[in-house]
Amino acid sequence: MDKEYNIASPLLYYSDIIFLLGTEAIYRLSILLLSTFKNNLLQCQTFESIMEFLKVDLTQMDTSKMEEVFNQIISLDISKQLTVYEIEYNVIQEEMQFSANVSIFEE
């Protein structure tokens, strides 16, 4: 018999945070989940076991722990680091475009 997953309440909280913070909330949640559940995730041997952890164990988190995680998401400030990544990405894109243009003219 299939297990039932109760993901409604975490998703409702998370959707509120996405509306509040935008797509940066996705990065914040990812960083927070990886750091908070690092040991649990490292014990998983396969991708399927990671997915099982995310679907079952994570969704059965008690309310106080869930509130703690969402409060940390709101307080976590990664905007400076995301700006650095954006600049690095743009520089790499420009370098690739420049090298592509130079190779066209060399032929």
Side-chain angles (χ1 to χ4, degrees), residues 30-92:
S30 300
I31 291 168
L32 194 61
L33 289 178
L34 288 173
S35 63
T36 303
F37 299 105
K38 176 182 176 181
N39 293 333
N40 301 72
L41 292 169
L42 287 174
Q43 290 176 358
C44 297
Q45 298 296 315
T46 63
F47 180 74
E48 289 77 18
S49 62
I50 292 172
M51 294 306 297
E52 187 74 13
F53 171 77
L54 293 174
K55 289 191 302 188
V56 178
D57 298 345
L58 195 62
T59 59
Q60 294 175 354
M61 186 185 324
D62 65 352
T63 306
S64 63
K65 182 67 174 175
M66 188 183 328
E67 287 177 4
E68 179 184 328
V69 168
F70 286 113
N71 286 335
Q72 289 175 347
I73 291 171
I74 291 172
S75 65
L76 186 64
D77 184 16
I78 60 169
S79 58
K80 291 177 186 174
Q81 190 62 41
L82 288 177
T83 302
V84 169
Y85 290 150
E86 180 182 8
I87 291 169
E88 289 176 359
Y89 175 79
N90 289 331
V91 168
I92 291 170

